[in-house]
């Protein structure tokens, strides 16, 4: 692809000078990926050659990939904890990086075990900012006129925590929103938010959500796109509106801010936005929100919305039906691929079907290697970014400027194609297996597919699965899978029958792999799958509990498997009905897959 062809928009958009610069940069980075990767690893090894970690492996100043890969091992977080902990405790010597570690970025806190601390240096913020700067120039090629309005994005921060050595430890987005790059960002007509910084930066998530929603309602005709980090976050915002629309309408009607807002900075900023009563708007909000049917509520309230900006890949894909329901099937844009370890790439076709989302890795962000998933062992030979093969699945391994060397991120990616010479990847799943009773192993993607297949039976009755999680019940003999479902029932007088729910259990079992079905049918080492229906609002309580223990509201994802006793006790205390698979699933040796 040539630079000129990249600048041709599918919607006949003529890029501005700023956009042209960004798009040309993408072209430059993707035309010769291997050259850029050689340069990146050479820079990383040159600057970090005197670190304790790299000196241990005897590189002796070599900066080529062959020497690096032959001497430095592939590692996990557990392998690096002996290096990370001293830094967290205050050791400022060159352990991992020649540049000072200025903060730690934490994992979202939703996976098993402790939160991980990812070392970060000052210039990493510039790399993240660079990737952000590429998003709108690409989006403008597909959606015109985004400079004529605003974005209603529900963005949140978590209160700061410190390591024993005094370094900040916080989620990556909290770090970004609190950075000078974000707070003092220059005006960009393509990136104007309805929410003032003060609302985004408020550590009280309730006050933050209320004020951001209020701003969105006041500016409803200016909103051209709605978003949150994850699909679940946008659904949470809709749920908040369902619960609080009367109070919000009252604020609009009187022109005064609710007494629930006590944060001085929010009160000051809102005094410039909520300036006078607007009874007409208050009446409109009341007339729309008082209805029992909230289908299409997003486009009713924000009629000029062009798309939703949310992550709906991986585990978030299960929220697509609910987002379609509330939005009237607006397009959903997944714009970038990033984690606490590093930012990775962008979606060059952001307005595509969620099932077709692929991310183009930007080779300047880090040094990337790929561990073939089908033979993922410590002895496996890793593949260079430029050498991956279409159709194959790999585990992502990265080396960063901040001192992660050949670190296994744990994401499984499938190569879908190339943009110039840069591979494009579909996010498949996290590496970790979710459920296992015996020899069976069920991962997140498989469990999600089983839930989707079973929920088709509910759709015939006007009921939807709005949230789910699971755990392996091993106290019974034999053990069995337990799936918690929270349902949205269209007609409360006609909930799904016991028979339908039992068939959902069986359909889930039919959707699971042959090892599971063999264990059920032939080995009888697994008991019938169980669905426990919980009260509405249970998963909101689960999130509140996670946040109370340090999880970030901005990055929170419902865990698809739980084992922590307080969480299972909370779920079990909210169960309203239980259902078991009424029969054995089909299995025969010939059906192995």
């Amino acid at each position: 692809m040539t630079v000129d062809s990249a600048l041709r928009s599918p919607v006949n958009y003529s890029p501005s000078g700023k956009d042209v610069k960004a798009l040309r940069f993408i072209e430059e980075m993707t035309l010769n990926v291997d050259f850029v990767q050689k340069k990146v690893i050479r820079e990383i090894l040159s600057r970090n050659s005197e670190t304790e970690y790299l000196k241990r492996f005897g590189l002796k100043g070599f900066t080529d990939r062959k020497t690096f890969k032959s001497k430095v091992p592939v590692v996990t977080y557990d392998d690096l904890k002996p290096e990370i902990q001293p830094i967290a405790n205050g050791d400022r010597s060159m352990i991992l990086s020649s540049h000072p570690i200025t903060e730690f970025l934490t994992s979202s806190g939703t996976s098993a075990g402790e939160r991980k601390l990812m070392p970060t240096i000052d210039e990493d913020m510039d790399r993240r900012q660079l990737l952000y700067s590429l998003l709108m120039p690409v989006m403008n090629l597909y959606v015109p006129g985004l400079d004529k309005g605003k974005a209603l994005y529900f963005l949140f921060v978590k209160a700061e925590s410190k390591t024993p050595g005094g370094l900040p430890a916080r989620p990556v987005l909290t770090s970004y929103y609190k950075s000078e790059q974000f707070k003092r960002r220059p005006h960009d007509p393509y990136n104007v938010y309805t929410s003032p910084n003060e609302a985004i930066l408020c550590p009280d998530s309730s006050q933050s959500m209320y004020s951001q929603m209020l701003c969105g309602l006041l500016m409803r005709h200016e909103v051209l796109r709605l978003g949150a980090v994850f699909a679940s976050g946008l659904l949470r915002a809709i749920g908040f509106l369902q619960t609080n629309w009367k109070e919000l309408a009252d604020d609009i009607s009187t022109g005064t801010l609710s007494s629930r807002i006590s944060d001085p900075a929010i009160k000051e900023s809102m005094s410039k936005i909520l300036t006078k009563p607007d009874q007409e708007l208050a009446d409109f909000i009341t007339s729309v929100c008082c209805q029992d049917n909230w289908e299409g509520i997003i486009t009713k309230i924000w009629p000029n919305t062009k798309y939703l900006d949310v992550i709906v890949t991986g585990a978030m894909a299960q929220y697509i039906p609910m987002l379609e329901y509330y939005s009237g099937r607006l397009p959903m844009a997944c714009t970038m691929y990033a984690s606490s370890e590093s930012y990775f790439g962008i979606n060059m076709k952001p307005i595509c079907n969620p099932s077709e989302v692929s991310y183009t890795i930007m080779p300047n962000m880090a040094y990337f290697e790929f561990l073939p998933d089908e033979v993922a062992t410590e002895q496996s030979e890793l593949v260079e970014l430029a050498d991956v093969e279409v159709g194959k699945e790999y585990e992502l391994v990265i080396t960063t400027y901040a001192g992660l060397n050949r670190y296994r991120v744990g994401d499984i990616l499938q190569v879908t194609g190339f943009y110039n010479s840069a591979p494009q990847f579909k996010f498949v799943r996290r590496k970790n297996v979710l459920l296992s009773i015996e020899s069976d192993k069920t991962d997140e993607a498989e469990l999600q597919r089983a839930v989707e297949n079973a929920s088709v039976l509910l759709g015939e009755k006007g009921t939807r699965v709005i949230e789910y999680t699971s755990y392996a019940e091993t106290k019974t003999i034999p053990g069995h899978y337990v799936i918690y479902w929270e349902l949205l029932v269209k007609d409360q007088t006609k909930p799904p029958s016991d028979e339908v729910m039992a068939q959902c259990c069986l359909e889930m079992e039919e959707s699971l792999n042959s090892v599971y079905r063999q264990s059920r049918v032939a080995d009888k080492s697994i008991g019938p799958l169980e669905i426990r229906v919980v009260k509405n609002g249970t998963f909101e309580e689960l999130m509140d509990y996670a946040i109370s223990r340090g999880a970030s509201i901005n990055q929170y994802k419902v865990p698809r498997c739980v084992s922590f006793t307080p969480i299972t006790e909370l779920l079990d205390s909210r169960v309203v009905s239980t259902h078991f698979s009424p029969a054995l699933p089909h299995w025969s040796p010939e059906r192995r897959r």
Side-chain angles (χ1 to χ4, degrees):
M1 178 179 288
T2 66
V3 173
D4 288 339
S5 65
L7 300 182
R8 286 201 292 267
S9 167
V11 293
N12 296 319
Y13 162 74
S14 297
S16 65
K18 181 179 178 182
D19 282 7
V20 168
K21 182 179 179 181
L23 295 170
R24 289 187 185 277
F25 176 80
I26 294 172
E27 292 298 300
E28 291 170 7
M29 288 296 103
T30 58
L31 281 170
N32 194 340
V33 163
D34 205 48
F35 174 81
V36 177
Q37 282 282 275
K38 286 180 182 178
K39 179 182 177 183
V40 167
I41 191 60
R42 188 166 59 246
E43 288 176 349
I44 292 173
L45 295 180
S46 295
R47 67 159 58 178
N48 290 338
S49 62
E50 294 302 311
T51 61
E52 293 178 22
Y53 187 80
L54 286 181
K55 286 171 70 175
R56 183 183 311 160
F57 300 107
L59 289 177
K60 299 180 180 179
F62 284 97
T63 60
D64 62 287
R65 292 183 293 189
K66 183 178 180 180
T67 304
F68 174 64
K69 295 170 75 168
S70 68
K71 292 181 176 293
V72 179
V74 177
V75 296
T76 66
Y77 184 77
D78 286 341
D79 298 322
L80 288 182
K81 278 200 292 188
E83 273 70 44
I84 290 175
Q85 201 56 55
I87 301 172
N89 291 341
D91 190 332
R92 297 296 179 261
S93 59
M94 293 193 301
I95 298 176
L96 291 175
S97 172
S98 63
H99 288 213
I101 302 300
T102 53
E103 66 177 325
F104 286 102
L105 301 180
T106 61
S107 63
S108 61
T110 59
S111 54
E114 63 186 20
R115 292 187 299 163
K116 298 174 183 178
L117 299 175
M118 295 299 159
T120 303
I121 58 179
D122 270 339
E123 67 181 51
D124 284 339
M125 184 62 70
D126 295 329
R127 268 183 283 276
R128 292 194 285 271
Q129 182 64 38
L130 172 62
L131 203 66
Y132 281 124
S133 73
L134 305 178
L135 302 182
M136 288 312 296
V138 173
M139 182 63 75
N140 289 337
L141 295 175
Y142 294 87
V143 183
L146 292 175
D147 57 332
K148 303 297 190 290
K150 299 181 179 181
L152 170 52
Y153 283 176
F154 295 97
L155 309 175
F156 303 93
V157 299
K158 181 186 178 297
E160 290 280 322
S161 62
K162 298 277 188 180
T163 68
L167 290 176
R170 51 194 177 184
V172 61
L173 291 173
T174 295
S175 172
Y176 177 64
Y177 299 146
K178 289 190 172 184
S179 70
E180 292 303 308
Q181 286 93 331
F182 179 81
K183 291 188 293 185
R184 299 185 183 278
R185 62 194 184 278
H187 176 76
D188 179 353
Y190 292 98
N191 270 312
V192 178
Y193 298 151
T194 56
S195 302
N197 284 354
E198 293 78 5
I200 295 171
L201 295 172
C202 177
D204 184 326
S205 60
S206 178
Q207 292 190 58
S208 176
M209 176 73 85
Y210 189 92
S211 52
Q212 291 190 61
M213 183 63 76
L214 182 58
C215 289
L217 295 174
L218 289 167
M219 305 176 205
R220 76 182 194 93
H221 287 296
E222 298 176 70
V223 171
L224 299 183
R225 49 198 165 110
L226 264 74
V229 178
F230 293 113
S232 55
L234 186 53
L235 288 175
R236 180 171 169 82
I238 298 300
F240 184 89
L241 179 60
Q242 285 181 304
T243 304
N244 296 280
W245 63 265
K246 290 182 180 178
E247 188 175 356
L248 289 159
D250 186 62
D251 285 7
I252 294 169
S253 174
T254 61
T256 57
L257 190 61
S258 168
S259 61
R260 73 158 66 191
I261 304 299
S262 59
D263 184 277
I266 290 184
K267 292 172 72 172
E268 171 66 22
S269 63
M270 290 303 298
S271 68
K272 303 171 185 176
I273 298 171
L274 183 64
T275 56
K276 62 180 184 299
D278 190 338
Q279 190 61 48
E280 182 179 355
L281 177 57
D283 290 342
F284 170 78
I285 298 299
T286 300
S287 67
V288 172
C289 294
C290 72
Q291 303 296 319
D292 292 333
N293 182 2
W294 273 46
E295 185 172 2
I297 191 71
I298 288 176
T299 48
K300 289 177 183 176
I301 295 178
W302 297 283
N304 298 316
T305 306
K306 296 174 182 279
Y307 66 92
L308 306 180
D309 192 341
V310 287
I311 295 174
V312 289
T313 53
M316 293 294 113
Q318 64 123 353
Y319 298 108
I320 292 172
M322 292 303 299
L323 288 174
E324 289 178 337
Y325 174 80
Y326 286 124
S327 73
R329 305 184 72 85
L330 282 172
M332 300 174 203
C334 300
T335 57
M336 67 183 294
Y337 172 39
S339 74
S340 299
E341 293 89 345
S342 176
Y343 280 25
F344 304 124
I346 60 178
N347 184 358
M348 292 301 296
K349 294 183 178 180
I351 303 298
C352 66
N353 188 292
S355 65
E356 299 173 353
V357 171
S358 291
Y359 300 102
T360 301
I361 298 293
M362 296 301 292
N364 60 308
M365 300 304 294
Y367 173 59
F368 300 100
E369 297 176 84
F370 297 86
L371 186 59
D373 188 43
E374 70 273 11
V375 291
T377 68
E378 291 186 4
Q379 289 73 39
S380 301
E381 184 172 345
L382 274 67
V383 179
E384 298 289 347
L385 178 62
D387 297 331
V388 295
E389 298 179 38
V390 173
K392 289 192 175 181
E393 293 185 0
Y394 301 88
E395 181 180 353
L396 179 62
V397 178
I398 62 170
T399 297
T400 68
Y401 288 87
L404 294 179
N405 291 278
R406 309 198 80 192
Y407 178 81
R408 295 176 68 165
V409 175
D411 289 355
I412 304 299
L413 309 176
Q414 182 183 53
V415 185
T416 58
F418 286 83
Y419 181 88
N420 293 328
S421 67
Q424 296 179 301
F425 294 90
K426 174 182 179 180
F427 179 86
V428 178
R429 64 186 185 278
R430 290 288 294 171
K431 182 69 176 176
N432 297 334
V433 171
L434 286 186
L435 292 170
S436 180
I437 299 293
E438 190 214 30
S439 59
D440 58 297
K441 288 179 172 60
T442 299
D443 63 28
E444 183 172 314
E446 188 173 9
L447 178 63
Q448 181 176 315
R449 183 169 62 248
V451 170
E452 290 173 347
N453 291 345
S455 64
V456 171
L457 302 176
L458 297 177
E460 298 171 0
K461 306 294 182 182
T463 297
R464 298 171 182 265
V465 179
I466 57 174
E467 199 52 275
Y468 73 92
T469 191
S470 65
Y471 87 96
E473 172 59 86
T474 56
K475 294 179 181 178
T476 60
I477 301 175
H480 67 286
Y481 288 9
V482 174
I483 317 297
Y484 294 95
W485 277 9
E486 184 172 326
L487 303 177
L488 177 65
V489 182
K490 186 174 184 179
D491 186 350
Q492 295 290 341
T493 64
K494 296 179 180 179
S497 66
D498 290 342
E499 180 180 357
V500 168
M501 291 303 301
Q503 288 302 312
C504 287
C505 295
L506 181 57
E507 181 59 35
M508 284 199 67
E509 292 196 298
E510 295 282 11
S511 302
L512 296 175
N513 60 70
S514 64
V515 175
Y516 172 90
R517 289 183 280 111
Q518 178 183 353
S519 299
R520 278 279 284 127
V521 176
D523 302 338
K524 301 190 185 303
S525 58
I526 299 179
L529 182 144
E530 177 185 3
I531 291 177
R532 298 178 186 175
V533 179
V534 297
K535 295 178 181 177
N536 287 102
T538 296
F539 281 84
E540 292 280 339
E541 293 183 59
L542 185 63
M543 186 181 77
D544 292 340
Y545 177 82
I547 291 172
S548 74
R549 291 179 56 83
S552 163
I553 185 175
N554 209 47
Q555 289 183 283
Y556 177 79
K557 294 173 282 190
V558 173
R560 292 305 171 216
C561 184
V562 295
S563 58
F564 189 47
T565 300
I567 293 178
T568 57
E569 288 178 347
L570 186 156
L571 290 165
D572 284 333
S573 70
R574 304 297 189 270
V575 172
V576 295
S577 64
T578 60
H579 312 273
F580 289 88
S581 183
L584 294 171
H586 293 93
W587 177 83
S588 68
E590 292 74 28
R591 293 187 65 190
R592 293 182 185 275
R593 57 184 181 185

